[in-house]
């Protein structure tokens, strides 16, 4: 009996002994297996207390590699050495920093990563921390609310390479917001090592993100190793959209290695749609790799339309290294609207990086909608960054609407960014150049910059006629963002509300708060009130037709009410002609009423003639209007 | 016996403990590489490296304690860099640092020929620049395509600007514009690591027309603000206004927000430009929403124009219920509609049923109809059967028809056969509403297959409607194939409206092809079709179209095209328009067109001179002088 009791006690002890013994014999994971600090610290040539010289002197670094000096011991000194690679990225210095990093423990690596100024140093520290303390990094990521994409990416890239099963388990310990990024890395790894497993993982639905694009990325690699297996895997995807996106990845990957093969294979596909979509993928790769060869190969595609569609689909990817040649190709392979879209896109992209070159391209364009749009877009982009240069270029254009529009647009951006200079520039123009159109754009830009400041600037304009026009323009533009403020400005100036100003304020106010705008409209009189009610009702009906119609029902008989009812009728005519007819009969203006009742009655009659006629006969309309409507209906 | 059993049992327990604590239970990412495996295992190499770690071999090579050939170094480097670890980085550097300049140049040539990976190229280029920058620069300039050696350029300028800025800028000036932009960025980033003021001056001096400018400024201000927020604010004022300023401003406020959100809000409100204020406050609120939806929405409600400062979708992703309640309480009118429909759009993608319950609670208006439209598309994309069940339960009317059309469009994409079967099961009125959407999607998939299916349908009326819509979509997708399919006879059988529409669609995308085909068109439709083609072509390329028009034979077709040409250029090029107007044979039309040109002409004196110099008859000139310039005959 005694021996069994001994065994009960001794067996766990033996188990623990085995555990501890193995643990003690295994090097700790935070120590690199091919690096030992003793290489340096045991150096006979180093003297205690004098072993570290700060700075990056080449001799010191060489001595460190030689093992003749010790590496810095304190955390601050180590951080200083590592961080110095920002200022001195020479190989000697980076090598020195790497040695220091190799000697640091997990906690120090993390602290140094958080404190280093140099982004290069932070990256090296992060990589090392992941190497020696993946569990610690995982715990850090799990607790930290920030996204930390780079750390997540680094951790799971390395973890996948070392222990994919462990990585797949570890990812589940991450917060959901970080799992998608981690899975991306794992699928990326599996895509190279075990694509069948990657496929299963994506199909499992656990990985988050856009499933179709996960397939796409997987196929891009898989096709390069085993196209047959990749094809079979794609065919097993049940969702048509996901399958198509996967095929696109397949052709894109195939084109990386052998674009001609990809082109031939895509051309064998059965339907026009499939051929076109897959060739788009082939060319998205090919054009990036070798634009000239890619365009030359287009001749192998028999359909000119398909060639044009394929190029049209690449608008954002077309390389801009040689825009002049690119424009030549576009001219050769596309036409009409598609060519317009491509050229516009190229000009827009080039305008951001090199507006002078973009302007040279625009100057070569044939006159047409493309030219017009390109001028506008170039001016907009250019003027945002350099309005004076943009204006100087616009001035070189031949006379015409493009030049006028371009000048106005450039002035607007000038005012938006440099209001005082823009106003000074405008006032310096001759009276012929200072057209009303320019003033409108100038005011628009000033209002966008800051309407209060614009009001101050305009108040300082000496020429009375110009100042008054600008004040009214500013009121309209101001009303877009702050209709109440604009109205207060205009009222303080003692100005009378013109039809267009009233209309602009009413429209903009009703977009933000129709009930308040409606209250304001009640304070107006005559045509101004009618116009305002018309604009407000239009906006309110769009927002909430019930509330709007309740308001309209409370309005007194007036041209404004008629305008509002016209809006209701036009809006409800299609869905509810009976209700539209009912509203139409309440219009006071004979001509408007006759027109509206006729439209709504005919619409209703087409759906339900008996009900429409019965309602018409019961309505309060004058007898001659009723008879006229019935008579017109009979003639039809 | 029982003692033997006990000993065995204890041994088993010990072994179990040993195995349970095996190192492979814990991840190890920095295992050593075997140097023997890294180089073609010649007996000499094996003898030299036997028993040594890669690190020891690398150190021995660096200290010249081991005699190795260039090939062995090169192979060892490649082998080491196959593993991306800190130890590999260190070991690889030792190998590279042991190479002479000749060996480096040789290694670079070999690595480029083998299309070696980026880490190998980085190390070789980086070291060459350390050893002999002038030679590296000369090599860089010799390359026909600087992008092929982009990394070398990076190392050259990254280091050069730190050591000798003036020299680096002289070298930089010799580069092409594209490379200049890339390398200026390299230098700005490199300088920013040591001296932000110098980095800013460099960008201001050399980067005025640089496409990377905005990013560079933002980078400098970001680093600056992290070091010293006060002086960063002063530096920000040196950044030129426009895109660059906007991005730099955002970078500054991002840092300030992290430090003190209240201060960031106060400073943002002090910005002179409304556009800047709006952009910064929006950014502050977006980040606030990420951290604390409720707090951010509470603060937003106090803003005068809260909708300016938030992107609905961000908040809707976090807490849709809270966001919708907030929008109802704090916004109104079209502004509320835009906000709510964006928020619902996000919700629809995540949970169509939940989105539907919100849509049902909206008043009838734009937000409601827009939300329904988004719901129908997105729901059908996810689950067409559920989407069908939903719209079928809706009351009859335009909203239901719209939903049905959207669902069917997506259904055809997802499962064409099932969608076609469903379409055939609809009643006549519904089919009428859906026919255009169905045909459009079927044509995108395969027009010939679509026609084959349509021709197999028993109902001739449905067939005819579907064919009409199919042709219409086909003309937009691929006019030349459609017209080849139709042939002159098939085209002649279509009604005039259809002929006109198909020709317009084709000419919109391929005016030249459409123009070439016109000779196949029926005689009696030539004028109408020439009119359509000329309008589209003139809109695309006036000059090419005018050449085509000039070559058209005399007749009413040409007359129609010339009138379009004159209209098209009368405001932009009135002199040419006045030349062309003479080609209009109809006296009345010619006179009207000429008068129109002259009236649009802003410079009336030039207009009068052009009229007098034109080829119009004296009578016409006299009439136009009177009509347009109020000049009576003889005055």
């Amino acid at each position: 009996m005694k021996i069994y009791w001994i065994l009960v006690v001794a067996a766990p002890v033996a188990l623990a002994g085995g555990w501890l013994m193995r643990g003690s014999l295994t090097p700790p994971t935070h120590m690199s297996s091919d690096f030992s600090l003793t290489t340096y610290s045991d150096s006979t040539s180093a003297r205690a207390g004098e072993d570290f010289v700060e700075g990056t002197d080449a001799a010191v670094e060489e001595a460190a590699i030689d093992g003749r000096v010790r590496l810095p011991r304190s955390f601050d000194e180590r951080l200083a050495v590592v961080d110095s690679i920002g200022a001195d990225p020479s190989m000697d210095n980076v090598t020195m920093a790497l040695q220091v990093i190799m000697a640091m423990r997990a906690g120090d690596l993390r602290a140094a990563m958080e404190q280093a100024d140099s982004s290069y140093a932070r990256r090296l520290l992060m990589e090392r921390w992941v190497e020696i303390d993946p569990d610690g990094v995982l715990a850090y990521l799990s607790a930290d609310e920030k996204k930390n994409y780079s750390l997540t990416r680094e951790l799971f890239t390395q973890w996948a390479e070392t222990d994919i099963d462990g990585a797949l388990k570890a990812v589940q310990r991450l917060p959901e917001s970080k799992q998608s990024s981690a899975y991306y890395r794992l699928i990326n790894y599996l895509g190279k090592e075990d694509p069948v497993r990657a496929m299963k993982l994506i199909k499992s639905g656990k990985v988050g993100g856009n499933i179709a694009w996960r397939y796409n990325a997987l196929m891009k690699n898989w096709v390069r190793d085993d196209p047959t297996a990749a094809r079979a895997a794609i065919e097993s995807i049940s969702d048509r959209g996901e399958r198509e996106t996967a095929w696109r990845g397949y052709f894109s990957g195939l084109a990386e290695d052998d674009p001609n093969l990809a082109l031939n294979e895509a051309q064998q596909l059965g339907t026009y749609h499939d051929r076109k979509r897959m060739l788009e993928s082939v060319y998205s790769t090919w054009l990036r790799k070798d634009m000239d060869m890619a365009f030359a190969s287009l001749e192998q595609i028999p359909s000119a339309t398909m060639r044009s569609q394929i190029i049209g689909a690449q608008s954002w990817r077309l390389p801009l290294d040689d825009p002049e040649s690119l424009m030549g190709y576009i001219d050769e392979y596309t036409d009409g609207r598609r060519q317009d879209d491509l050229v516009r896109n190229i000009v827009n992209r080039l305008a951001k990086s090199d507006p002078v070159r973009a302007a040279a391209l625009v100057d070569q364009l044939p006159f047409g909608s493309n030219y017009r749009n390109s001028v506008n877009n170039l001016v907009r982009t250019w003027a945002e960054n350099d309005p004076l240069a943009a204006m100087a270029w616009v001035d070189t254009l031949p006379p015409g609407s493009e030049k006028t529009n371009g000048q106005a647009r450039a002035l607007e951006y000038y005012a938006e960014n440099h209001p005082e200079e823009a106003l000074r520039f405008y006032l310096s123009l001759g009276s012929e150049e200072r057209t009303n159109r320019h003033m409108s754009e100038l005011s628009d830009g000033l209002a966008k910059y800051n309407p209060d400041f614009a009001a101050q600037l305009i108040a300082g304009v000496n020429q009375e006629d110009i100042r008054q026009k600008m004040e009214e323009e500013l009121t309209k533009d101001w009303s877009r963002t702050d209709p109440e403020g604009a109205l207060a400005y205009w009222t303080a100036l003692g100005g009378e509300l013109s039809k267009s100003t009233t209309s602009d304020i009413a429209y903009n106010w009703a977009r933000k708060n129709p009930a308040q705008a409606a209250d304001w409209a009640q304070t107006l009189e005559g045509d101004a009130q009618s116009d305002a009610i018309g604009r407000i009702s239009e906006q309110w009906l769009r927002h909430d037709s019930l509330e709007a119609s309740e308001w309209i029902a409370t309005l007194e008989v007036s041209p404004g009410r008629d305008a509002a009812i016209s809006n209701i009728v036009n809006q409800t005519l299609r869905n509810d002609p009976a209700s539209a007819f009912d509203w139409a009969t309440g219009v006071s203006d004979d001509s408007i009423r006759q027109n509206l009742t006729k439209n709504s009655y005919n619409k209703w009659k087409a759906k339900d003639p008996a009900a429409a006629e019965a309602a018409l006969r019961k309505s309060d309309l004058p007898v001659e209007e009723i008879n006229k409507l019935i008579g017109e209906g009979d003639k039809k | 016996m029982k003692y033997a059993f006990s000993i065995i049992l204890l041994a088993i327990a010990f072994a179990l403990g040993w195995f349970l604590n095996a190192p492979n239970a814990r991840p190890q990412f920095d295992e050593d590489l075997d140097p023997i495996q890294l180089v073609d295992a010649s007996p000499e190499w094996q003898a030299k490296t036997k028993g040594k770690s890669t690190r020891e071999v690398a150190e021995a090579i660096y200290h010249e304690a081991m005699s190795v050939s260039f090939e062995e170094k090169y192979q060892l480097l490649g082998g080491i860099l196959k593993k991306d670890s800190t130890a590999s980085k260190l070991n690889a550097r030792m190998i590279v640092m042991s190479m002479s300049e000749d060996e480096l140049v040789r290694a670079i040539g070999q690595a480029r020929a083998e299309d070696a990976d980026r880490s190998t190229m980085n190390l070789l280029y980086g070291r060459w620049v350390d050893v002999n920058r002038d030679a590296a620069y000369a090599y860089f300039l010799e390359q026909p395509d600087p992008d092929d050696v982009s990394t070398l350029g990076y190392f050259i300028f990254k280091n050069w600007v730190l050591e000798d800025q003036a020299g680096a800028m002289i070298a930089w000036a010799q580069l092409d514009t594209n490379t200049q932009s890339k390398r200026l960025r390299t230098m700005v980033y490199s300088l920013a690591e040591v001296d932000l003021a110098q980095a800013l001056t460099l960008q201001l001096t050399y980067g005025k027309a640089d496409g990377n400018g905005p990013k560079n400024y933002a980078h400098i201000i970001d680093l600056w603000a992290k070091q010293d927020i006060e002086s960063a604010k002063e530096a920000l004022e040196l950044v030129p206004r426009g895109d660059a300023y906007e991005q730099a401003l955002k970078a500054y406020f991002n840092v300030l927000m992290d430090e003190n959100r209240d201060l960031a809000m106060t400073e943002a409100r002090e910005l002179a430009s409304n556009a800047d204020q709006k952009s910064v406050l929006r950014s502050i609120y977006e980040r606030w929403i990420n951290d604390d939806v409720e707090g951010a929405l509470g603060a937003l409600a106090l803003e005068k124009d809260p909708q300016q400062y938030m992107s609905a979708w961000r908040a809707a992703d976090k807490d849709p219920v809270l966001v919708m309640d907030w929008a109802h309480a704090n916004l109104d009118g079209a502004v509320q509609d835009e906000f709510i429909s964006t928020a619902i759009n996000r919700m629809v993608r995540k949970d169509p049923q939940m989105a539907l319950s919100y849509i049902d609670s909206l008043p009838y208006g734009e937000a409601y109809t827009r939300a329904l439209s988004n719901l129908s598309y997105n729901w059908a994309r996810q689950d067409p059967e559920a989407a069908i069940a939903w719209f079928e339960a809706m009351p009859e009317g335009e909203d239901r028809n719209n939903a049905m059309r959207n669902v069917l469009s997506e259904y055809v994409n997802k499962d064409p056969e099932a969608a076609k079967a469903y379409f055939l099961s609809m009643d006549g009125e519904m089919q009428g509403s859906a026919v255009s959407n169905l045909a459009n999607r079927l044509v995108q998939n395969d027009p010939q297959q679509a026609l084959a299916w349509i021709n197999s349908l028993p109902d001739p009326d449905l067939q005819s409607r579907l064919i009409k819509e199919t042709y219409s979509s086909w003309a937009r997708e691929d006019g030349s194939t459609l017209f080849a399919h139709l042939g002159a006879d098939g085209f002649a059988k279509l009604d005039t409206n259809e002929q006109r529409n198909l020709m317009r669609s084709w000419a919109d995308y391929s005016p030249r092809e459409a123009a070439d085909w016109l000779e196949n068109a029926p005689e009696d439709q030539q004028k109408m079709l020439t009119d359509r083609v000329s309008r589209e072509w003139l809109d695309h390329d006036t000059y090419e179209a005018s050449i085509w028009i000039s070559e058209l034979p005399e007749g009413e077709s040409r007359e129609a095209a010339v009138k379009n040409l004159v209209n098209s250029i009368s405001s932009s090029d009135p002199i040419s328009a006045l030349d062309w107007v003479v080609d209009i044979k109809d006296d009345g039309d010619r006179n009207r067109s000429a008068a129109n040109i002259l009236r649009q002409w802003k410079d009336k004196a030039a207009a009068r001179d052009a009229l007098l110099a034109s080829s119009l008859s004296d009578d016409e000139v006299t009439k136009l002088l009177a009509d347009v310039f109020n000049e009576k005959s003889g005055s």
Side-chain angles (χ1 to χ4, degrees), chain A residues 29-30 101 104-114 122-141 144 148 151 154-155 158, chain B residues 29 86:
Chain A
T29 53
H30 61 265
I101 288 172
M104 289 168 85
R105 289 176 179 273
D108 286 349
L109 286 167
R110 176 187 159 175
M113 188 186 82
E114 288 173 342
R122 284 199 300 272
R123 201 179 74 225
L124 294 179
L125 288 159
M126 178 183 76
E127 286 169 5
R128 182 63 183 158
W129 184 28
V130 167
E131 276 170 23
I132 66 169
D133 184 20
D135 284 322
V137 176
L138 184 64
Y140 175 81
L141 282 173
D144 188 29
N148 261 320
L151 191 57
E154 185 62 37
L155 175 66
Q158 288 203 33
Chain B
F29 297 170
T86 310

Side-chain angles (χ1 to χ4, degrees), chain B residues 562-589:
Chain B
V562 170
K563 275 194 261 179
N564 289 336
L565 171 58
V566 168
N567 274 340
S568 163
I569 61 175
S570 58
S571 66
S572 58
D573 186 2
I575 296 175
S576 302
L578 212 54
D579 283 347
W580 271 101
V581 89
V582 180
D583 274 27
I584 299 175
K585 301 299 173 207
D586 182 273
D587 291 345
D589 285 347

